[in-house]
Every structure is written in structure tokens, then in C-alpha cells.
Amino acid sequence: MSITRKRDFLEALCCILLLGMGQASSWWFLAPIAAVCGYALAWHLGKRCTSPFLTTLTLFSLANLLHFSWLISHPYAYIYAAWIVASILFAIPFALLSLLVVSKQQPNIHWTIGVAALFTLLEWSYTLLPCGFSFQSAALHLSWNGAPLQIASYIGGIGVAFVVYWTNLLAFLFLEKKISLSPLLLVAALPYVAGGFLLWHRLEEQNQFDGSHQPLRVALFQMEEPPDIFSSYLPPEELHAQEWHKIFSMLAPLRAGEVDLAIFPEGAIPFAAQSPLFDAKRLPNEWETSSYIKLSSLDICQLLAWSKKMSLLIGLEGRALDAKSVMKTYNSLFCIQPGQKNLSRYNKQIHI
């Protein structure tokens, strides 16, 4: 293998690892490097190859396989095909737009701003998909530290993604020897300088707030993936009870009044929140249940709030009639407070 081929292979490997693993949730130490040159390496390789589209498509697809590897935690084998297909499909638009980068003969700094905006617009368009896909965001490369993440409070995640794309485009120009190092360093340092100032300012505000307010004691509960109700061999009542007993076991160590708020994820319990599926005789012994026979998930939540003297935030399947009196099903967030029958509810919806 020639020196050039070795260099190309190493650059490709670095590019794939930076884009696929350079997030706070993966290898955080790669994240600040990816925020500067992860995409730039892909464009730099594409510029030197005879087929820029296939080169960038391959690099982005392989990076997606790493980035989307959480998909294969699904227990069914078909997910492997979906994982591969999704990794390629989401890479195609980026590879096509990358042609605009590698084909430009005389790029300049003003050009990088416009192209960064196009990449940001492409990323934003993914959030308009039916599932609201937002897992492929360049902003994740700046999520490794609290300082650069602070700028999201002013320009949002999409704005942070723009900063990452702009920095990478400047890095591409630097690799192509079109600009000096100074503009790249200036833009790369901007989120850390601005975010660092915001973080310092907000920490001062937080210290003042903490000095005059009682802390909110919160318990976060991470549950396993909800069971597939269509493939489970258990009857609905038994499956419903099985999932609730998992929550009971997690809450058992908590004494009444020990926490102010318990938060559970979306889809914590299968079946509709109002469906009376739970036999009251299977509740913990310390609960007063003489007036109940069958309980819904919301009934149990209210008993939990009363028993543990805490509020609950939980994601359940919510149902409600729409304006045309048609029953609609939502992925809903319920807020239950001890001693209050009225609860707050938010239905997850996509508005286009």
C-alpha cells in the first residue's frame, strides 16, 4: 500500500469514528475534534477521489451505522435491516449536498456561511418526518461540555448545528490551503468563549436562587423498552400488572416525602392510561384500596402520589375525543400531584 493510500485509509477511519462516536453519549473526547473537522475530513477525501458522491456516501453511511447502533437494541432480527437501510438513506442527502462543497473551485469564507446554512436546513428537514427524527444532529458534537452547550439557549440546537457545519467548512478550506488557520480558530473557539461566559453568568444566578429557595428533590427512573403488546403471550391484565410491579419494586426504597417529584419515561406502562386492568388486590399492602376493584394506570399514579407524598410525571397512552367526536390516541405526558384529582396532561403531536 502506498503512502497516499495509507493516509486516505487513516483519514477515512478518523472521519467515521469522529462522526459516529464523537458525541457526549459515546466517546466524549472525540466530540470537540468532530465539531471542528469530522465533516471536513469527509469532504477532503471526497475532493481527492474520482467519485466524491460514493466516497462521502460511504463515509457518512458507516458513521451512521455507529451513530444509530442504539437501534439494534431492539429484540427482533428485522431491526438489523432497518438499521442498515436507515444509515444509508439518511446519508444520501448529506452526500448529495457534499457535492456542492467538493465541486467549488474557488471557495471563500462567505461561501461557507451559505453552505453551512444549507446543511443546517437539511438537518432541520429531518425533524418534519412523521417520527420527528432528530437523532442525527451536528449539534451533538458540542454537547460534550456545558460551556458550548449554553449557546443553544439563544440559538437553539439548529443554531448550534450551523456553528458546527460552518467550522467544518472552514476546516475544509484550511485543509485545501484556501485560508489561513486564524478564521478557523476564531469560529471554533466562539461557542466555548460565548458559552463559557453564559455558563459563568448563569452559575452566579443559580447560586443566588439556591440561596433563597428550597431545593427540589427529583427521582429519575429509567425503564427498559416497553413490551410489545401484540407479540406478548401474556393477557393484557397480566402484562399491565407485570410492568407496574417493576415500578413498585423501584419505588419501594423511597420513603414517603423523601422526594418531591418522580419522573418516568414515555410509554412507561402499556395500554391506555384510563383502562381499568389492574386488580386492586395486587397493590402493596400499605395502600388503602377497599373502595377499588379494578384500577387504571392513572388510578395507580394517584395512589402512588398519595402514598409517597410526591408528584409524578409519567408517559402513558392517552385517549381523547377530537373536535369531530372521533377517539384519538396520543403519546401523552401526565402530571399527577398528591391529594389532587385534577391532573395536567400534554399530548405529543406534530404540527406542520
Side-chain angles (χ1 to χ4, degrees):
M1 182 181 289
S2 66
I3 294 177
T4 302
R5 286 189 174 183
K6 287 182 178 179
R7 186 183 69 177
D8 289 347
F9 175 78
L10 289 175
E11 282 191 24
L13 182 60
C14 288
C15 173
I16 293 167
L17 289 176
L18 287 173
L19 294 180
M21 304 297 290
Q23 298 94 30
S25 59
S26 301
W27 295 350
W28 66 267
F29 52 88
L30 294 182
I33 306 173
V36 174
C37 64
Y39 296 92
L41 289 175
W43 299 325
H44 188 51
L45 282 166
K47 184 78 171 179
R48 299 204 306 267
C49 294
T50 55
S51 179
F53 173 74
L54 289 178
T55 300
T56 53
L57 176 62
T58 302
L59 292 172
F60 290 145
S61 297
L62 291 174
N64 283 346
L65 286 174
L66 294 176
H67 192 188
F68 300 161
S69 59
W70 53 270
L71 281 171
I72 57 178
S73 62
H74 196 285
Y76 300 104
Y78 73 82
I79 198 63
Y80 287 95
W83 170 51
I84 295 171
V85 170
S87 297
I88 297 173
L89 288 179
F90 280 101
I92 290 174
F94 278 87
L96 288 172
L97 193 52
S98 294
L99 294 177
L100 182 63
V101 180
V102 300
S103 63
K104 182 71 172 178
Q105 297 301 317
Q106 295 297 328
N108 53 49
I109 294 179
H110 297 92
W111 167 86
T112 62
I113 297 175
V115 177
L118 290 177
F119 274 101
T120 307
L121 186 64
L122 172 61
E123 181 180 305
W124 170 78
S125 70
Y126 286 178
T127 64
L128 302 180
L129 295 172
C131 65
F133 192 90
S134 59
F135 304 108
Q136 190 184 24
S137 175
L140 293 174
H141 301 306
L142 283 178
S143 65
W144 71 279
N145 185 271
L149 199 57
Q150 289 299 309
I151 63 173
S153 61
Y154 282 90
I155 61 178
I158 293 296
V160 177
F162 170 83
V163 173
V164 173
Y165 289 126
W166 188 23
T167 306
N168 273 265
L169 285 163
L170 292 174
F172 168 71
L173 293 189
F174 174 74
L175 292 173
E176 293 290 316
K177 300 180 180 179
K178 302 292 184 181
I179 62 171
S180 64
L181 187 60
S182 299
L184 171 59
L185 292 178
L186 181 64
V187 175
L190 181 62
Y192 295 93
V193 175
F197 172 77
L198 291 173
L199 182 61
W200 170 79
H201 178 66
R202 286 173 179 171
L203 285 176
E204 288 292 319
E205 291 182 339
Q206 186 66 49
N207 289 334
Q208 294 177 8
F209 180 87
D210 291 343
S212 57
H213 294 79
Q214 289 293 327
L216 181 67
R217 299 165 299 172
V218 180
L220 302 176
F221 294 89
Q222 180 61 48
M223 302 180 65
E224 62 186 14
E225 184 177 355
D228 189 336
I229 61 174
F230 300 105
S231 63
S232 176
Y233 63 90
L234 295 175
E237 292 82 0
E238 189 63 31
L239 185 59
H240 184 263
Q242 172 184 280
E243 296 304 303
W244 266 116
H245 279 289
K246 291 178 183 178
I247 291 182
F248 296 155
S249 64
M250 288 189 289
L251 285 171
L254 287 180
R255 297 187 299 272
E258 189 174 357
V259 300
D260 302 306
L261 175 65
I263 301 178
F264 295 89
E266 61 179 337
I269 299 292
F271 306 110
Q274 299 93 340
S275 297
L277 296 172
F278 193 94
D279 187 347
K281 296 178 181 179
R282 303 181 66 173
L283 286 172
N285 295 330
E286 66 268 21
W287 292 7
E288 178 59 48
T289 59
S290 58
S291 60
Y292 297 94
I293 300 175
K294 289 287 187 178
L295 302 171
S296 69
S297 289
L298 289 181
D299 293 330
I300 298 175
C301 286
Q302 289 178 327
L303 286 171
L304 262 177
W306 170 82
S307 174
K308 298 296 183 180
K309 303 295 186 292
M310 65 184 182
S311 300
L312 277 83
L313 282 175
I314 187 169
L316 300 169
E317 178 187 315
R319 294 180 180 177
L321 295 174
D322 64 7
K324 298 180 181 179
S325 297
V326 177
M327 184 64 70
K328 295 288 186 179
T329 300
Y330 301 95
N331 192 357
S332 301
L333 174 68
F334 292 90
C335 177
I336 301 96
Q337 299 183 8
Q340 295 186 12
K341 291 187 176 181
N342 295 328
L343 51 85
S344 302
R345 171 178 172 180
Y346 172 77
N347 297 324
K348 186 177 181 181
Q349 301 175 73
I350 297 177
H351 297 282
I352 300 178

